[in-house]
């Protein structure tokens, strides 16, 4: 078993952190929704899909 050394040298995975943040935002939106499920439009809004398409960035 490998343990990160003491001293603050832990590596951060920025992609994983961004995905965790987006999941958290979806959970918050789902818990605040009046309906049983979020609509696809609501999910796109939370994930800022329209903003990505506006940038010319590919949407996955």
């Amino acid at each position: 078993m490998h343990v990160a050394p003491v001293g603050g040298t832990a590596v951060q995975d920025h992609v994983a952190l961004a995905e965790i943040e987006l999941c958290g935002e979806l959970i918050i939106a789902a818990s605040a929704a009046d309906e049983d499920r979020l609509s696809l439009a609501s999910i796109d809004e939370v994930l800022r899909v329209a903003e990505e398409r506006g940038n010319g960035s590919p949407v996955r």
Side-chain angles (χ1 to χ4, degrees):
M1 180 166 108
H2 178 73
V3 178
V6 177
T9 60
V11 176
Q12 290 186 357
D13 184 340
H14 297 286
V15 173
L17 292 174
E19 289 177 358
I20 291 167
E21 182 179 339
L22 289 174
C23 287
E25 290 177 17
L26 280 173
I27 291 168
I28 292 167
S31 67
D34 293 332
E35 301 171 10
D36 288 339
R37 296 181 176 199
L38 290 176
S39 68
L40 293 177
S42 295
I43 292 170
D44 285 350
E45 183 180 334
V46 171
L47 297 179
R48 298 180 292 274
V49 171
E51 291 175 21
E52 288 297 317
R53 288 185 181 149
N55 288 341
S57 302
V59 176
R60 292 181 251 158

